[in-house]
Amino acid sequence: PVFSKGFRLVNTLSKDFGKIMFYPWLTRYFENAGSDWRIEEIFEKTIIHGYGDDSIKLEGTDIDSDGLPDWWEQEFGYNANVWNDHLTLDPDEDALNNYEECYAYDWGANPFKKDIFLELDYTKSKTLDVSNIPSEKYVNQMKERFSEHNITFHVDLRELDGGEEIPYITNFNFDELVDLYWNYFLENDLNNPRKNIFHYGLICDNGPGSGFAFIGWAHLNGFCISADDLSKSYPRFEIGWLIACGSMHETGHTLGLIGGDFGGIDNHASIHPKYFEFWYYWDYKSTMNYGHTYSILDFSDGDNGKIDYNDWANMEFDFFKNTHFEWPIVNIK
């Protein structure tokens, strides 16, 4: 069984007579889940290529042949006549090396100031007077929150060569979501430099879940927001606000803010006052707290009480391309 940290049982699994029972139970079937148990007599290991991305090819005169054009090196204080290992140089520690900073220069990247890039694609809404396009007002609020911590948050809504409307699709499953990631984000190019520069988000009506982060290729760098589902679950909030809060929450996951770091992150019991966790983590004023996800468009700075967590100080900028999940081991007796 999986126990909550409080006084009640939450999401309990039990096995009896070959069946797996889940409580609280669902009234619908899980689609496309589980194995069909067909066994191949001959198994050949699949060899996957593409983890080692080719270096970005940058145009311009490069006297020292270190891969970066002279104009960029001169603008940011490097000696254009001296070879530098720009593939490993990351002076601002934002997980973008100097090749990636140079590639994203026209989009505002600065090698000496932390940058986070997010591409947001969206589908049309089936409701005529509703739009899945993220609200500029709330996107600007997101940018302001990052700016307060000396981080430039770049959100691509067509301005940075991405962020586009994709054909309408609804009630799709996870494998179709990954196809969308490949087709519209990577453009079917595994060596696309955007994969290691941008986080990715898709806003749709109804996807595999109301909001969740996913691994598009090899790391946790993407997420999906089902705006229509959220609007039905939280009818008192405008859809633009729900999209922004959901995007902020899931971006936090791609920055390494996961449940294994702090018990208040993604804790379902913190939603309901009947559970101990609701009160225990109340001072964790963060969009990562399910109890505050759609009421706070911000991460916590850890100054809200004894049971709080400093999201801003614990972000891992390289998590979206160097994902590692470390969960605490709990022995239940």
Side-chain angles (χ1 to χ4, degrees):
V2 178
F3 288 83
S4 74
K5 291 185 177 180
F7 303 130
R8 302 176 67 94
L9 294 175
V10 178
N11 294 355
T12 302
L13 289 170
S14 63
K15 183 175 181 298
D16 186 27
F17 297 109
K19 296 181 180 180
I20 296 178
M21 305 298 294
F22 180 86
Y23 179 84
W25 51 85
L26 293 178
T27 58
R28 60 179 175 80
Y29 289 105
F30 285 106
E31 296 182 3
N32 301 314
S35 172
D36 57 15
W37 300 109
R38 288 180 296 182
I39 300 175
E40 299 283 347
E41 292 186 2
I42 300 175
F43 175 78
E44 294 183 3
K45 182 178 180 181
T46 302
I47 299 175
I48 300 175
H49 301 281
Y51 282 92
D53 300 311
D54 296 335
S55 299
I56 298 173
K57 301 299 186 291
L58 300 166
E59 298 180 357
T61 304
D62 179 17
I63 295 175
D64 56 13
S65 299
D66 59 6
L68 265 66
D70 298 342
W71 66 266
W72 188 91
E73 292 189 291
Q74 292 166 354
E75 178 163 345
F76 291 106
Y78 291 96
N79 188 334
N81 296 297
V82 177
W83 187 92
N84 287 281
D85 187 5
H86 290 295
L87 276 175
T88 61
L89 285 175
D90 179 17
D92 56 8
E93 299 182 337
D94 62 359
L96 302 180
N97 63 41
N98 282 352
Y99 271 78
E100 292 158 345
E101 296 275 9
C102 182
Y103 185 86
Y105 173 82
D106 289 340
W107 302 326
N110 186 322
F112 298 106
K113 185 174 181 180
K114 286 182 169 62
D115 297 289
I116 295 175
F117 288 88
L118 170 65
E119 175 179 332
L120 288 177
D121 291 347
Y122 49 89
T123 69
K124 284 185 177 180
S125 173
K126 62 185 176 183
T127 306
L128 293 178
D129 59 344
V130 173
S131 173
N132 286 331
I133 301 175
S135 163
E136 183 177 354
K137 177 176 71 172
Y138 296 128
V139 166
N140 287 335
Q141 288 185 25
M142 294 167 66
K143 292 180 178 180
E144 290 169 4
R145 301 291 81 77
F146 281 91
S147 179
E148 291 167 359
H149 295 269
N150 298 314
I151 302 168
T152 305
F153 190 48
H154 309 263
V155 180
D156 187 5
L157 292 170
R158 290 193 179 274
E159 298 88 356
L160 310 180
D161 294 346
E164 59 185 310
E165 181 179 280
I166 68 175
Y168 183 77
I169 181 172
T170 188
N171 294 322
F172 52 92
N173 55 32
F174 178 77
D175 59 333
E176 292 172 309
L177 172 60
V178 174
D179 286 342
L180 294 172
Y181 169 93
W182 275 74
N183 293 336
Y184 295 97
F185 178 51
L186 296 187
E187 297 179 342
N188 292 306
D189 177 8
L190 192 58
N191 203 47
N192 190 328
R194 294 177 73 90
K195 174 164 61 71
N196 290 319
I197 296 174
F198 282 80
H199 305 239
Y200 178 73
L202 173 64
I203 316 300
C204 61
D205 274 354
N206 316 103
S210 59
F212 63 96
F214 69 92
I215 295 174
W217 168 238
H219 300 288
L220 193 76
N221 69 336
F223 62 83
C224 178
I225 303 295
S226 299
D228 185 59
D229 288 345
L230 287 178
S231 185
K232 291 175 180 176
S233 298
Y234 302 93
R236 66 189 183 91
F237 293 111
E238 61 176 290
I239 195 166
W241 172 259
L242 294 172
I243 290 172
C245 290
S247 297
M248 190 86 164
H249 176 99
E250 303 304 339
T251 297
H253 286 321
T254 66
L255 289 167
L257 298 175
I258 58 177
D261 296 323
F262 179 64
I265 296 176
D266 281 7
N267 191 319
H268 286 275
S270 66
I271 302 175
H272 304 290
K274 64 181 179 180
Y275 293 124
F276 169 74
E277 286 88 337
F278 176 89
W279 306 101
Y280 186 75
Y281 292 115
W282 180 255
D283 287 336
Y284 177 41
K285 307 292 186 181
S286 170
T287 187
M288 304 309 297
N289 181 351
Y290 280 158
H292 299 305
T293 295
Y294 300 108
S295 59
I296 296 177
L297 189 62
D298 199 354
F299 299 114
S300 178
D301 57 10
D303 292 334
N304 300 311
K306 183 178 179 181
I307 309 301
D308 195 6
Y309 185 70
N310 192 335
D311 296 322
W312 291 105
N314 286 284
M315 287 181 179
E316 299 178 45
F317 286 80
D318 68 340
F319 193 82
F320 80 110
K321 55 184 179 181
N322 182 28
T323 302
H324 55 93
F325 296 106
E326 297 176 0
W327 299 92
I329 298 175
V330 180
N331 293 320
I332 301 175
K333 296 182 180 180

